[in-house]
């Protein structure tokens, strides 16, 4: 089960990942082997360096001891300040080097000798300092006696250090040979491991290359058969989920579509004669559709002429208010039909709004107060048609009609930098926040009137016209009851 899951996992990998994995894992293994051997070889080299560290330490100690004794001798003979300074310098250096020697009782012979050297050196330095003090006190017999005693200590220490150094050298030579053998063995093992990894990488590369190229060879053969006209041939089935499997499946699907297309062409050739027979009937239907289109154009003009006739008749009979009402209705419908698919100016939109408010006040017995404030420099600003009227209609239908107070609609239009701000406010019932959100997200279509244009239509047309999303906001008014629609449209 695990082997099958692993095979499925590798089958899903893209070809580039399969090829890249060869180099990645080979590099990772080589890098790991190199790091491993580098750490171990470094540790071995450090051990080799430490093998002769004890010999170097004893040699340095012996040289410093010689300098101490030599400068002591010079000072006792000459009493020169330079010799005294050198004595104190090498004395301090000798003490520092003594701290590096073994001070434990247990240990092998060299370590016991180092402990002995350390203890005797303490006595030796005491005698050298006493000789210096006797020289300063001009006690000739005392400092000569002390100098002879320091000479005996010096010769003993020198011989002991030499003996310990010889013993350490013999032991260190044996250790060096062992460590050198380990280092050679590790170097050989590293070469063998690297050759093994390279061999495995080559074998893996060959297997992966064969797995990738074998389906390509089979697909090339099938493609040549199809090119020779054998439409019954099939591309091989590739049991992988990588690009090769996808190409093989897509190729077989494409071949099936080609066969279906050939069958469809044959069927179309059979139906071609029938289509020619029906051509005259289609032309007849087209002529009838054209006549209906012309009739649809005539009907609005008939409506406008009829309304104008009503205006003239009301004027003759003295019904001036009825005449004005019919004239506003005619202008309103004429603008709707004329400007539905055209751009307009802000001045024309305001005129349409005045006509619409007049019609509403006749309908609702003058219960709606319309206030407008606008910048006259914006009157020739070009904008989409039928934008303001649906907003005002929505304010009346869904706000003012739901209250018993006198309806007030306020329109404000002013420039704000490169933006034209249009604000429509009413004192109606106020829109619910959730409904406002649904309108702005296009989930709810309020304000769908006889003109066929609602707020959702206005929002979508403004977005497409100005090619930006943040042009329309509808919300409940915060200061007083009512609804506010805010448009922010580019000036250019």
């Amino acid at each position: 089960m695990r082997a099958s899951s692993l095979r499925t996992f590798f089958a899903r990998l893209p070809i580039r990942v399969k090829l890249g994995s060869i180099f990645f894992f080979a590099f990772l293994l080589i890098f790991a082997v190199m790091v491993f051997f580098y750490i171990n070889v470094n540790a071995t080299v450090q051990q080799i360096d430490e093998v002769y560290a004890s010999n170097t330490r004893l040699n340095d100690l012996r040289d410093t001891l010689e300098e101490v004794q030599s400068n002591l001798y010079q000072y006792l003979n000459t009493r020169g300040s330079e010799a005294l300074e050198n004595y104190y310098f090498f004395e301090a250096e000798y003490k520092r080097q003594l701290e590096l020697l073994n001070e434990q009782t247990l240990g092998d012979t060299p370590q016991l000798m180092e402990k002995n050297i350390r203890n005797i050196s303490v006595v030796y330095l005491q005698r050298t300092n006493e000789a210096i003090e006797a020289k300063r006190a001009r006690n000739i017999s005392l400092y000569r006696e002390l100098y002879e005693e320091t000479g005996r200590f010096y010769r003993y220490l020198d011989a002991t250090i030499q003996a310990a150094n010889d013993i350490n050298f013999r032991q260190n030579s044996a250790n060096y040979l062992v460590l050198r053998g380990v280092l050679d063995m590790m170097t050989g093992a590293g070469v063998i491991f690297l050759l093994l990894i390279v061999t495995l990488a080559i074998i893996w590369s060959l297997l992966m290359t064969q797995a990738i190229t074998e389906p390509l060879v089979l697909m090339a053969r099938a493609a040549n058969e199809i090119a020779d006209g054998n439409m019954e041939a099939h591309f091989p089935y590739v049991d992988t989920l990588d690009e090769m499997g996808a190409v093989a499946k897509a190729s077989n699907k494409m071949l099936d579509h080609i066969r279906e297309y050939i069958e469809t062409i044959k069927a179309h050739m059979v139906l071609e004669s029938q289509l020619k027979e029906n051509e005259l009937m289609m032309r007849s239907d087209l002529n009838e559709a054209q006549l209906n289109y012309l009739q649809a154009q005539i009907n609005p003009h008939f409506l406008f002429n009829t309304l104008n006739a009503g205006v003239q008749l009301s004027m003759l009979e003295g019904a001036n208010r009825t005449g004005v009402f019919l004239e506003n209705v005619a202008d309103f419908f004429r603008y709707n039909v004329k400007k539905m698919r055209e751009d307009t100016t802000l001045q024309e939109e305001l005129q349409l709004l005045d006509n619409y408010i007049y019609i509403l006040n006749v309908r609702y017995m003058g219960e709606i107060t319309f206030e407008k404030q606008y910048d006259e420099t914006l009157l020739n600003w070009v904008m989409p048609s039928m934008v303001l009227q649906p907003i005002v209609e929505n304010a009346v239908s869904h706000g003012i009609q739901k209250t018993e107070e006198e309806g007030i609609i306020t329109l404000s239009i002013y420039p704000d930098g490169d933006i034209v701000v249009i604000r429509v406010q009413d004192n109606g019932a106020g829109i619910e926040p959730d409904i406002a959100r649904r309108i702005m997200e296009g989930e709810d279509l309020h304000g769908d009137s006889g003109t066929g244009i609602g707020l959702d239509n206005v929002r979508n047309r403004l977005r497409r016209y100005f090619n930006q999303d943040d042009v329309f906001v509808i919300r409940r008014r915060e200061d007083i009851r009512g609804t506010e629609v805010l448009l922010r449209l580019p000036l250019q």
Side-chain angles (χ1 to χ4, degrees):
M1 183 67 180
R2 291 182 179 178
S4 176
S5 301
L6 187 62
R7 182 180 178 184
T8 303
F9 171 75
F10 281 106
R12 292 179 179 274
L13 295 177
I15 294 177
R16 72 179 74 177
V17 176
K18 292 178 181 177
L19 294 176
S21 63
I22 299 174
F23 302 100
F24 174 76
F25 286 111
F27 171 79
L28 188 62
L29 288 174
I30 292 174
F31 179 76
V33 170
M34 291 180 65
V35 170
F36 173 77
F37 283 105
Y38 173 78
I39 293 174
N40 286 275
V41 168
N42 238 6
T44 305
V45 171
Q46 289 180 2
Q47 290 178 0
I48 293 175
D49 293 338
E50 292 174 358
V51 163
Y52 293 104
S54 59
N55 289 107
T56 303
R57 186 168 59 248
L58 290 174
N59 286 331
D60 292 341
L61 183 65
R62 187 181 181 190
D63 293 339
T64 306
L65 175 64
E66 182 180 357
E67 290 291 339
V68 171
Q69 186 67 22
S70 174
N71 284 284
L72 175 65
Y73 174 76
Q74 291 180 12
Y75 177 73
L76 294 178
N77 286 333
T78 62
R79 202 178 180 183
S81 60
E82 183 178 357
L84 184 61
E85 291 178 0
N86 291 335
Y87 166 78
Y88 283 126
F89 172 79
F90 286 108
E91 180 202 22
E93 179 65 18
Y94 188 70
K95 289 180 178 179
R96 185 189 66 81
Q97 293 177 0
L98 288 176
E99 296 294 329
L100 302 177
L101 299 181
N102 176 54
E103 61 179 352
Q104 302 295 328
T105 304
L106 299 178
D108 55 8
T109 301
Q111 290 179 336
L112 291 175
M113 294 177 72
E114 287 183 5
K115 178 178 176 59
N116 189 26
I117 292 169
R118 186 168 183 167
N119 294 332
I120 295 175
S121 294
V122 173
V123 179
Y124 166 73
L125 292 177
Q126 290 176 355
R127 295 295 183 269
T128 57
N129 286 324
E130 290 174 358
I132 294 292
E133 295 299 325
K135 177 68 175 178
R136 287 178 175 178
R138 300 183 183 275
N139 191 342
I140 298 174
S141 60
L142 180 59
Y143 78 72
R144 285 181 178 178
E145 179 183 351
L146 290 172
Y147 176 73
E148 291 177 359
E149 186 179 358
T150 58
R152 290 192 295 273
F153 278 113
Y154 167 73
R155 287 187 293 274
Y156 176 80
L157 288 172
D158 185 69
T160 306
I161 293 173
Q162 181 63 36
N165 201 4
D166 292 340
I167 296 174
N168 275 335
F169 182 78
R170 288 192 294 271
Q171 291 181 352
N172 291 338
S173 297
N175 293 334
Y176 172 78
L177 293 176
V178 174
L179 292 174
R180 183 58 186 266
V182 173
L183 183 62
D184 293 340
M185 183 182 65
M186 291 179 63
T187 304
V191 173
I192 294 174
F193 271 111
L194 289 177
L195 291 176
L196 180 61
I197 292 173
V198 171
T199 304
L200 292 176
I202 294 174
I203 295 174
W204 192 0
S205 299
L206 292 175
L207 293 176
M208 294 294 292
T209 303
Q210 183 180 4
I212 294 173
T213 56
E214 185 176 358
L216 284 175
V217 173
L218 297 177
M219 291 182 65
R221 293 176 183 174
N224 289 330
E225 292 183 13
I226 295 172
D228 292 336
N230 182 13
M231 298 303 297
E232 300 300 325
H234 287 276
F235 288 100
Y237 174 74
V238 181
D239 188 17
T240 61
L241 299 177
D242 55 10
E243 291 87 347
M244 290 305 306
V247 170
K249 293 177 183 178
S251 298
N252 280 318
K253 186 177 293 185
M254 178 183 66
L255 190 59
D256 293 338
H257 290 168
I258 291 175
R259 295 193 186 100
E260 294 176 0
Y261 181 68
I262 292 175
E263 295 297 328
T264 302
I265 290 178
K266 292 179 180 178
H268 286 173
M269 292 176 65
V270 173
L271 295 175
E272 186 175 358
S273 59
Q274 299 178 2
L275 293 175
K276 291 182 178 179
E277 294 177 0
N278 295 331
E279 185 176 357
L280 293 176
M281 297 178 62
M282 293 173 64
R283 289 183 179 178
S284 177
D285 294 339
L286 178 60
N287 292 332
E288 182 178 355
Q290 290 175 342
L291 290 175
N292 291 333
Y293 176 72
L294 293 175
Q295 183 64 35
Q297 289 182 320
I298 294 173
N299 287 336
H301 291 288
F302 176 77
L303 174 62
F304 302 150
N305 294 333
T306 302
L307 289 174
N308 288 329
V311 170
Q312 296 175 3
L313 181 60
S314 62
M315 293 299 180
L316 291 175
E317 294 178 350
N320 294 331
R321 293 187 60 190
T322 303
V324 173
F325 173 75
L326 291 176
E327 185 176 3
N328 277 276
V329 172
D331 291 340
F332 178 78
F333 281 106
R334 182 181 294 107
Y335 182 90
N336 271 263
V337 175
K338 179 180 178 181
K339 293 292 184 179
M340 184 64 68
R341 300 181 181 274
E342 297 179 3
D343 295 339
T344 186
T345 63
L346 178 61
Q347 185 175 8
E348 291 175 330
E349 279 286 283
L350 292 176
Q351 181 61 45
L352 172 70
L353 207 54
D354 290 337
N355 293 337
Y356 182 69
I357 293 296
Y358 179 84
I359 295 172
L360 289 179
N361 279 328
V362 172
R363 178 181 176 185
Y364 296 110
M365 302 299 294
E367 294 181 355
I368 299 175
T369 300
F370 179 62
E371 301 174 353
K372 59 183 178 179
Q373 299 175 353
Y374 57 88
D375 191 331
E376 294 185 356
T377 60
L378 299 175
L379 290 178
N380 293 325
W381 174 58
V382 179
M383 61 182 295
S385 61
M386 298 300 296
V387 170
L388 302 181
Q389 184 271 331
I391 297 175
V392 173
E393 181 179 3
N394 183 80
V396 174
S397 302
H398 300 282
I400 294 176
Q401 285 186 2
K402 296 182 179 181
T403 63
E404 297 180 357
E405 301 178 2
E406 179 184 359
I408 300 175
I409 298 176
T410 303
L411 172 66
S412 301
I413 305 174
Y414 55 90
D416 183 11
D418 295 334
I419 301 297
V420 176
V421 179
I422 301 176
R423 189 188 307 272
V424 180
Q425 296 177 323
D426 65 70
N427 64 338
I431 190 170
E432 295 296 330
D434 181 64
I435 296 177
R437 179 189 59 81
R438 294 172 63 189
I439 292 176
M440 293 181 62
E441 294 178 357
E443 299 181 9
D444 194 88
L445 300 179
H446 280 305
D448 193 14
S449 63
T451 61
I453 300 177
L455 291 184
D456 184 69
N457 184 285
V458 170
R459 176 179 58 86
N460 292 334
R461 287 194 301 119
L462 289 176
R463 287 182 175 180
R464 288 193 295 267
Y465 186 88
F466 293 105
N467 193 26
Q468 66 182 53
D469 293 334
D470 55 341
V471 295
F472 180 93
V473 176
I474 180 170
R475 58 196 177 194
R476 179 191 290 270
R477 295 179 65 180
E478 298 180 356
D479 49 354
I480 59 176
R481 186 178 62 180
T483 302
E484 177 184 69
V485 176
L486 182 66
L487 306 181
R488 294 182 58 85
L489 310 175
L491 183 61
Q492 299 295 333

